């Protein structure tokens, strides 16, 4: 379910949250759901995912930091392409989202 | 290369306002914004704005944004989204990076999604307005890069634009308006706010914003900052500690909080790189919150044809950004000959006066960093408000909005000189007086008669107005308060009256809940409390909220509360003297 306890179903000011079509995508191979068109990062946060990538040199985790495409902390590998800012990229059906290690999708490749 | 009369960079409140004014004179205007939707910061602002009618006071930020978009559309402004301006070159050439959709290779396989590519485009204009806004500042502390540490603006984007809570339990660093407003919004979104922390000894934002957070029970830790954020893969806790006057940690003052999110709201910096790149003369004095371009009253920089408006030309607020944008739009139209000097001048001075009206009061740009001890009226300001986020019981009585009277009457707990007056306009019975100087403190008009309509309560941008009837029947009083949370209590519900500091002080019964289109999502709760709590109970919590989970009540020693938890509800809330007695001790300890 795309709904989770982090989703705001009804807001005192904004009312009912408008949700797009529910879509399935994979996160490191695991199927997750989210709403079409929402930023990938929002769908991941709602699903409880916090780590988006590990830095190249020190392998420290990074997650959503600015949410408006400025800091590059949230970049992941999306459909094979690295360095995709997930806070700015709309979610689509069938997307393949992977944790980024340095610039690759596999931890052992990083120097 | 595409040519237009005016290119605006940034579709925030300033950029859109400028584009509207320019387009109205017949200019061709193209606005670029890197986001998927226009509006800049405005669409994240869900609170009612300050100012006066001409500044769209008491309208919520995102609604102002919708009005602005409609106006832009009507004026024929073109907005190109997901378009990042990466450079301004000589002869006003603008280079834009955009996403373009390319269908799948053969365009037939639905399993193969189309891909998004970045491509670079060139444009040219006779004038350019840079309205790129600001970016959030960061501070480095142990653990600042851990997932779960984020800008307050990021938290706001997640919850108010995408409907996702940033976390369950949050610590906020920064007590400026952004930190205060976002803390309240986190509570509205259903998150817990564990603490609001600032290294400065005084709260930086509006007292009314602080007071709404404090009465929800959020503790303020001034002269404190983050020592360490804990967690290996993501935030699991945070330790703060007190700092001395040189901002050095004082050993032994550490406090720990279990949180999953830390929000940082330590100021904004103008995003002025494009202007610098274009060769505009810059001001590095730091007075605008960072590096800002040197501009004249119309926003014209040292490079002919390049203008700047909004946060990029000095951090202020959305209301001023909109006016600056309009002023720049008018001047640009004059500059390119689309508007006569005379016509432009008249409009320009109207906007200028409106801007001047906003730049007044204790928080005005010229008063930044000044120590203010008295209000314009000569009343000593509340020191408790600056330290703890709420006006103390022994301070509140000295402000002109707080009076005693038989029958229902408004109590304005608005104690700082801020540019705001919707309360005065809201009251058809003229009970509230501010006068022509919009920063004056609201005062109760002598001899006026309040009919309890509630318009003032719902119109108050600071949620600082309460209706009080100090004696309804033997031992009872009624307090009407603004309520912007879910679930909405129902008449007949029983719970607790909370003090300005967010501590339960008495039992309370909801006697009336009013909602109306005119109140714009602010519900009015009327609670019945013991008579001696009429000037102390300022918030309501249901019994469930108080007994479940992180119980505030469980930790308190309130007698009335224990009685009601046990279900012995024989006595009416307003007769519960024991609660009142215990409250006095609690409050005494809190201050
Ligand atoms: C939490 C918070 C609470 C606030 N509360 C209030 C309030 O109560 N009242 C009030 O009046 N103000 C408030 N403000 C301030 C207000 O939001 C800003 O002052 C205002 O939005 C500034 O407007 P602007 O048009 O200058 O910039 P912005 O609104 O920041 O818009 C700038 C736009 O330009 C875009 N942009 C930047 N660079 C580029 C580029 N290179 N290419 C393309 N596009 C670009 C940005 O993405 C953005 O959309 C608040 C701000 C915050 C963060
Ligand atoms: S409740 Fe109505 S009549 Fe009374 S002060 Fe407020 S606006 Fe005026
Ligand atoms: S009491 Fe009046 S002046 Fe003060 S915040 Fe409310 S509306 Fe503004
Ligand atoms: S969170 Fe900063 S770029 Fe996405």
């Amino acid at each position: 379910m795309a709904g989770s306890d982090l989703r705001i179903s009804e807001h005192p000011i904004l009312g009912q949250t408008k949700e797009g079509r529910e879509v399935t995508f994979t996160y490191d191979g695991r199927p997750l759901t989210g709403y079409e068109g929402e930023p990938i990062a929002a769908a991941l946060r709602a699903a409880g995912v916090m780590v988006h990538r590990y830095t190249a040199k020190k392998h420290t985790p990074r997650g959503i930091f600015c949410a408006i495409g400025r800091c590059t902390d949230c970049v992941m590998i999306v459909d094979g392409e690295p360095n995709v800012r997930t806070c700015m990229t709309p979610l689509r059906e069938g997307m393949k989202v992977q944790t980024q290690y340095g610039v690759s999708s596999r931890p052992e490749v990083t120097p | 290369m595409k040519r237009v009369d005016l290119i605006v960079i940034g579709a925030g409140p300033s950029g859109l306002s400028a584009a509207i004014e320019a387009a109205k004179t017949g200019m061709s205007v193209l606005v670029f914004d890197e986001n998927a939707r226009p509006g800049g910061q405005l669409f994240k602002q869900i609170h009612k704005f300050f100012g006066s009618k001409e500044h769209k006071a008491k309208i919520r930020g995102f609604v102002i944004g919708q009005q602005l978009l409609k106006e832009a559309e009507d004026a024929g402004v073109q907005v190109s989204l997901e378009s990042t301006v990466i450079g301004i070159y000589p002869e006003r050439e603008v280079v834009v990076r955009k996403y373009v959709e390319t269908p799948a290779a053969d365009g037939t396989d639905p399993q193969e999604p189309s891909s998004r590519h970045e491509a670079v485009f060139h444009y040219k204009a006779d004038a350019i307005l840079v309205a790129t806004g600001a970016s959030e500042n960061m501070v480095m502390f142990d653990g600042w890069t851990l997932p779960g540490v984020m800008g307050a603006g990021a938290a706001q984007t997640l919850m108010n634009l995408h409907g996702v809570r940033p976390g369950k339990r949050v610590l906020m660093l920064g007590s400026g308006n952004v930190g205060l407003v976002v803390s309240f919004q986190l509570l509205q979104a259903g998150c817990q706010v564990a603490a609001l922390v600032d290294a400065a000894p005084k709260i930086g934002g509006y007292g009314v914003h602080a007071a709404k957070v404090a009465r929800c029970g959020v503790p303020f830790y001034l002269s404190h900052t983050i020592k360490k954020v804990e967690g290996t893969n993501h935030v699991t806790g945070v330790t703060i500690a007190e700092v001395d006057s040189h901002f050095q940690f004082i050993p032994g003052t550490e406090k720990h909080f279990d949180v999953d999110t830390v929000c940082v709201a330590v100021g904004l910096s103008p995003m002025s790189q494009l202007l610098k790149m274009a060769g505009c003369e810059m001001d590095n004095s730091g007075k605008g919150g960072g590096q800002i371009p040197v501009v004249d009253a119309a926003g014209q920089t040292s490079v002919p044809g390049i203008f700047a408006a909004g946060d990029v030309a000095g951090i202020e607020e959305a209301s001023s950004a909109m006016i600056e944008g309009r002023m720049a739009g008018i001047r640009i139209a004059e500059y390119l000959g689309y508007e006569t000097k005379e016509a432009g001048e008249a409009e320009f001075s109207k906007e200028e006066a409106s801007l001047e009206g906003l730049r007044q009061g204790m928080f005005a740009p010229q008063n930044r960093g000044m120590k203010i001890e008295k209000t314009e009226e000569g009343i000593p300001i509340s020191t408790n408000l600056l330290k703890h986020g709420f006006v103390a019981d022994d301070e509140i009585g000295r402000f002109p909005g707080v009076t005693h009277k038989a029958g229902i009457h408004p109590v304005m707990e608005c104690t700082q000189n801020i540019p705001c007056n919707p309360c005065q306009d809201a009251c058809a019975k003229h009970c509230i007086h501010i006068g022509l100087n919009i920063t004056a403190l609201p005062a109760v008009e002598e001899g006026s008669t309040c009919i309890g309509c509630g318009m003032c309560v719902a119109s108050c941008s600071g949620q600082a107005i309460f209706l009080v009837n100090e004696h309804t029947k033997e031992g009872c009083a009624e307090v009407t308060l603004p309520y912007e949370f879910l679930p909405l209590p129902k008449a007949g519900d029983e719970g607790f009256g909370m003090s300005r500091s967010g501590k339960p002080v008495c039992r309370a019964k909801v006697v009336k809940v009013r909602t109306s289109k005119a109140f714009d999502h602010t519900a009015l709760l009327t609670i019945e409390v013991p008579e001696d709590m009429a000037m102390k109970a300022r918030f309501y919590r249901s019994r469930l909220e108080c007994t479940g989970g992180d119980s505030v009540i469980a930790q308190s020693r309130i007698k009335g509360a224990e009685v009601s938890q046990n279900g012995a509800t024989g006595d009416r809330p307003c007769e519960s003297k024991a609660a009142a007695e215990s409250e006095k001790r609690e409050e005494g300890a809190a201050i």
Side-chain angles (χ1 to χ4, degrees), chain B residues 410 426-429 431-432 449-457 467:
Chain B
C427 185
K429 296 285 167 191
C431 298
I432 303 173
T449 309
C450 169
I451 53 165
C453 69
M455 282 309 295
C456 56
V457 179
L467 301 180

Side-chain angles (χ1 to χ4, degrees), chain A residues 41 52 63-75 84-88, chain B residues 150 154:
Chain A
H52 288 226
I64 301 173
F65 192 67
C66 72
I68 49 168
R70 300 257 158 79
C71 71
T72 68
D73 271 6
C74 69
V75 301
V84 174
R85 291 176 298 176
T86 53
C87 68
M88 300 284 283
Chain B
M150 63 178 80

Side-chain angles (χ1 to χ4, degrees), chain A residues 2 4-19 35 37-39 41-55 59-70 73 79 81 83-85 87-90 92-95, chain B residues 34-36 41 44 46 60 62 82 84 97 99 101 113-116 118 132 134-136 138 144-151 153-155 157-168 185 188-189 232-235 260-261 271 484-486 520-522:
Chain A
S4 84
D5 52 357
L6 286 178
R7 296 260 184 206
I8 305 166
S9 52
E10 197 180 352
H11 189 284
I13 310 302
L14 300 168
Q16 227 86 24
T17 304
K18 274 187 222 76
E19 287 154 359
Y35 296 110
E38 71 179 344
L44 288 173
R45 186 70 201 91
V49 175
M50 291 185 78
V51 179
H52 288 226
R53 68 176 175 103
Y54 290 89
T55 57
H59 311 285
T60 53
R62 293 286 188 276
I64 301 173
F65 192 67
C66 72
I68 49 168
R70 300 257 158 79
D73 271 6
D79 290 334
E81 192 188 327
N83 297 325
V84 174
R85 291 176 298 176
C87 68
M88 300 284 283
T89 309
R92 309 225 189 126
E93 176 77 55
M95 259 181 174
Chain B
E34 59 188 352
N35 285 296
Q41 299 295 325
K44 302 173 201 171
I46 60 170
R60 296 184 192 273
F62 70 99
E82 294 191 89
T84 307
R97 193 181 62 214
Y99 277 111
E101 295 284 333
S114 59
S115 62
R116 283 153 54 90
E118 285 185 346
T132 45
S135 62
E136 292 189 275
M138 260 302 140
W144 74 285
T145 59
L146 263 185
V149 176
M150 63 178 80
T157 303
L158 281 174
M159 61 187 172
N160 296 346
L161 292 185
H162 306 310
V164 176
R165 296 182 187 95
K168 288 180 183 146
Q185 292 176 359
Q188 289 181 303
T232 40
N233 253 334
H234 56 84
V235 177
D260 57 10
T261 306
M271 291 220 297
E484 293 191 349
F485 298 94
L486 289 178
D520 183 13
H521 296 85
T522 306

Side-chain angles (χ1 to χ4, degrees), chain B residues 108 112 192-193 202 240 261 279 306 313 321 340 440 495 571:
Chain B
T108 51
E112 183 78 31
Q192 293 176 0
V193 179
K202 284 188 303 191
I240 64 166
T261 306
I306 299 186
T340 63
D571 53 345

Side-chain angles (χ1 to χ4, degrees), chain A residues 68 70 88, chain B residues 8-17 31-35 37-50 55 61 64 80 82-87 95-97 130-136 152-153 156 177-182 185 206 209 265 268 271 273-274 309-322 324 358:
Chain A
I68 49 168
R70 300 257 158 79
M88 300 284 283
Chain B
V8 176
I9 309 171
S14 61
L16 283 177
S17 302
V31 186
F32 293 111
D33 198 290
E34 59 188 352
N35 285 296
R37 34 180 142 177
Q41 299 295 325
L42 262 184
F43 278 90
K44 302 173 201 171
Q45 313 304 336
I46 60 170
H47 57 284
K48 297 178 178 174
F49 271 32
F50 294 89
H55 310 117
I64 299 178
S80 171
E82 294 191 89
S83 309
T84 307
V85 174
I86 51 176
V95 179
V96 184
R97 193 181 62 214
V130 178
T132 45
S135 62
E136 292 189 275
Q156 210 181 25
N177 274 336
V178 173
L180 297 172
V181 166
V182 175
Q185 292 176 359
Y206 286 3
H209 276 321
L268 304 169
M271 291 220 297
Q273 298 85 340
L274 284 174
D311 277 359
V312 73
I315 305 293
E316 266 183 89
E317 45 180 17
S319 319
S320 44
M322 285 185 279
E324 280 182 32
L358 275 182

Side-chain angles (χ1 to χ4, degrees), chain B residues 2 28 44 49 70 106 130 142 171-172 183 190 247 263 312 316 342 344 354 364 368 392 397 415 482 521 579:
Chain B
K2 194 173 167 186
S28 58
K44 302 173 201 171
F49 271 32
K70 169 88 177 47
D106 58 12
V130 178
D142 198 357
L171 180 129
M172 177 67 68
S183 293
F247 296 102
C263 283
V312 73
E316 266 183 89
E342 300 74 55
S354 169
R368 258 175 220 161
T415 65
H521 296 85

